[in-house]
């Protein structure tokens, strides 16, 4: 019988990260505050070969004079009242006893893992932690659709978690932009299947293929410029649409929601201004948002910030979606302002109609012409399969006129669509469907639900 | 007699119908297809200076 050493999780676990990580406190808080957990137990996998790190090791660390350990430790987190509950599940799988049931239960008790690299800076490597539940309370929800299926294997047992991977910058092969791209590519590769997820050092190398008027070395990496970030996505087959200096809440709210709901990660490029008006720039992956259902508004963003942590909560200064307030103000006392200066949206190249035109020509047109409230209108990007599935599962059961939506189920649709939805008393009344794959914006279908 | 014809649509549905019909007509018109996009010129421009902004944090 395999000896499984499950240890009780407590604050002492984090002592080993204190000197070598900037993000461990956020991860600790994420785990400690995970809703509805009882006790947590840790299973340690010694001498774990992490694919990302072994690639980074061969691209950079192997040729450093100082000895760097190429193997890592992987810590798995399980939750239960007693550790015997977890052990019983493992042993029943090994004993081929109710294997499917036990596997399902074990997966439901699995919170995820983090990899610890033996590095002086940025020791927290690939981190896969279960997303918080969608429901926050009666009136609000977390929208965390930017994710991928992560397959994890422990002692030959296959587990999986649907979440967005995170890792901390190491200052060797990666700085913030590389890590923001790394997280985003995980979700994009899973969704569109046109690129493989690259290791951090590979992303940085790809960026440095671009002659970018920068005289810094590739490794140790001191950061990428916007041109390099865009070139990485382009080389991997994505189109990048940039949004600059947007100071318009309605525009940003629809921009965030229309892409994040569809599972497309956004790269937020932030301008940090300190007391002496010095400016620095930082990149993060925007991975979700918190929606206030009463006011139909975004009250928080969630970002994977490689120097703060996964699913870091971003609040807004004076309600402005472009002025951010989050953990950085604690980390940097001289910080005066964080402005989201640019947003980069990586898109599958067949999505040819982009947000701005759709927003201006359909959403704003309807709003201005018919004096509609913001909450009566929504635009969002979708694909035909998920749209039709939503019709079947969410729309048809709640509407009066079921004939029209049923009629379109067997109709041919473009693969990608923009939907302008008009609601009446919170119930969908009509969907105007626009072909997102066409070079001209054109309406493909209009489906009335009333 | 067609029972459906005896049921008057309520005012709201009538109004909604009108809005939808008008919007549908507009989205199919050449005016919509040829409408210039003003916002793209404001928000979707990356200047050479911006391209060189480096994320150093």
């Amino acid at each position: 019988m395999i000896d499984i050493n499950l240890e009780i999780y407590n604050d002492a676990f984090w002592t080993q990260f204190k000197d070598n990580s900037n993000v461990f406190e956020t991860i600790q808080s994420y785990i400690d505050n995970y809703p509805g957990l009882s006790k947590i137990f840790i299973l340690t996998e010694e001498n774990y070969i992490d694919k990302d790190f072994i690639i980074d090791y061969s691209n950079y660390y192997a040729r450093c004079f100082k000895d760097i350990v190429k193997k890592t430790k992987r810590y798995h987190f399980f939750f239960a009242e007693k550790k015997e509950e977890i052990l019983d599940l493992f042993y029943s799988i090994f004993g081929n006893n109710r294997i499917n049931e036990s596997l399902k239960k074990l997966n439901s008790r699995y919170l995820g893992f983090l990899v610890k690299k033996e590095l002086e800076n940025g020791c927290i490597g690939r981190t896969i932690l279960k997303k918080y539940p969608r429901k926050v309370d009666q009136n609000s929800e977390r929208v965390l659709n930017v994710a991928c299926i992560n397959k994890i294997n422990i002692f030959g047992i296959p587990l999986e978690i649907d979440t967005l991977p995170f890792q901390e910058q190491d200052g060797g092969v990666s700085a913030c932009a590389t890590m923001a791209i790394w997280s985003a590519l995980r979700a994009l590769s899973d969704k569109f299947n046109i690129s493989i997820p690259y290791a951090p050092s590979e992303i940085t190398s790809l960026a440095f293929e671009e002659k970018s008027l920068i005289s810094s070395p590739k490794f140790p990496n001191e950061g990428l410029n916007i041109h390099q970030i865009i070139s990485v996505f382009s080389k991997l087959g994505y189109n990048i649409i940039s949004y600059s200096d947007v100071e318009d809440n309605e525009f940003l709210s629809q921009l965030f929601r229309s892409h994040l709901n569809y599972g497309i990660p956004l790269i937020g490029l932030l301008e940090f201004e300190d007391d002496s008006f010095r400016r620095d720039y930082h990149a993060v992956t925007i991975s979700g948002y918190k929606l206030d259902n009463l006011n139909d508004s975004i009250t928080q963003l969630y970002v994977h910030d490689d120097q703060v942590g996964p699913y870091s909560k971003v609040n807004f200064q004076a309600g402005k979606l472009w002025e951010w307030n989050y953990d950085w103000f604690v980390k940097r006392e001289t910080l005066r302002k964080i402005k989201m200066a640019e947003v980069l949206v990586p898109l599958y190249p067949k999505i040819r109609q982009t947000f701005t035109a759709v927003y201006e020509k359909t959403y704003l047109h309807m709003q201005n012409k018919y004096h509609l409230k913001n909450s009566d209108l929504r635009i969002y990007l979708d694909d035909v399969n998920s749209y039709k599935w939503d019709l079947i599962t969410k729309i048809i059961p709640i509407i009066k006129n079921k004939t029209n939506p049923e009629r379109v189920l067997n109709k041919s649709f473009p693969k990608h669509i923009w939907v302008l939805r008009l609601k009446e008393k919170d119930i969908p009344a009509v969907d105007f469907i626009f072909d997102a794959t066409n070079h001209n914006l054109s309406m493909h279908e209009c489906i009335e639900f009333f | 007699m067609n029972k459906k014809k005896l049921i008057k649509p309520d005012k709201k549905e009538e109004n909604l119908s009108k809005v939808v019909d008008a919007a549908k007509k507009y989205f199919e018109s050449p005016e919509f297809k040829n409408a210039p996009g003003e916002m793209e010129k404001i928000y979707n421009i990356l200047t050479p200076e911006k391209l060189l902004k480096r994320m150093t944090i």
Side-chain angles (χ1 to χ4, degrees), chain A residues 214 224 242 244-245 356 400, chain B residues 13 43-44 50 54-55:
Chain A
I214 278 216
L224 308 180
S242 66
S244 296
D245 296 318
T356 314
K400 279 196 278 178
Chain B
E13 283 197 2
Y43 290 147
N44 296 120
K50 281 182 182 169
R54 193 151 152 238
M55 309 297 124

Side-chain angles (χ1 to χ4, degrees), chain A residues 169 176 212-214 216 222-227 230 241-246 248 251 269 272 280-282 307 328 342 356-357 359-361 365-366 370 400 420 424 429-430 432 434 441 443 446 448 450, chain B residues 4 9-29 31-57:
Chain A
Q169 70 168 266
C176 59
S212 53
L213 304 177
I214 278 216
S216 70
E222 291 167 9
L224 308 180
N225 64 31
I226 299 179
H227 182 56
I230 292 174
I241 314 299
S242 66
Y243 297 84
S244 296
D245 296 318
V246 183
D248 175 341
F251 185 95
L269 305 179
F272 283 34
D280 291 312
Y281 298 94
H282 185 44
Q307 298 233 49
W328 275 105
E342 329 280 337
T356 314
Y359 175 81
E360 184 179 11
K361 292 179 185 177
H365 169 84
M366 290 293 282
Y370 304 108
K400 279 196 278 178
L420 174 70
E424 171 88 354
V430 60
F432 298 97
F434 296 88
L441 185 60
M443 190 174 72
C446 170
E448 293 169 25
F450 57 94
Chain B
K4 272 187 183 168
D10 70 33
K11 197 84 179 155
K12 280 204 162 168
E13 283 197 2
E14 212 176 343
N15 287 342
L16 188 62
S17 247
K18 279 182 188 166
V19 168
V20 171
D21 285 345
K24 219 155 76 174
K25 218 170 167 184
Y26 172 71
F27 291 140
E28 283 166 344
S29 71
E31 189 193 347
F32 169 72
K33 280 171 190 154
N34 301 325
E38 297 298 326
M39 290 181 112
E40 284 177 343
K41 293 175 203 156
I42 305 167
Y43 290 147
N44 296 120
I45 302 290
L46 265 178
T47 59
E49 290 151 35
K50 281 182 182 169
L51 280 169
L52 293 178
K53 272 186 199 168
R54 193 151 152 238
M55 309 297 124
T56 52
I57 294 178

Side-chain angles (χ1 to χ4, degrees), chain A residues 131-147:
Chain A
K131 293 186 282 191
Y132 273 28
R134 186 169 181 109
K135 190 173 176 181
V136 180
D137 54 40
Q138 207 68 1
N139 302 320
S140 54
E141 58 186 300
R142 302 176 187 93
V143 180
L144 301 171
N145 299 348
V146 177

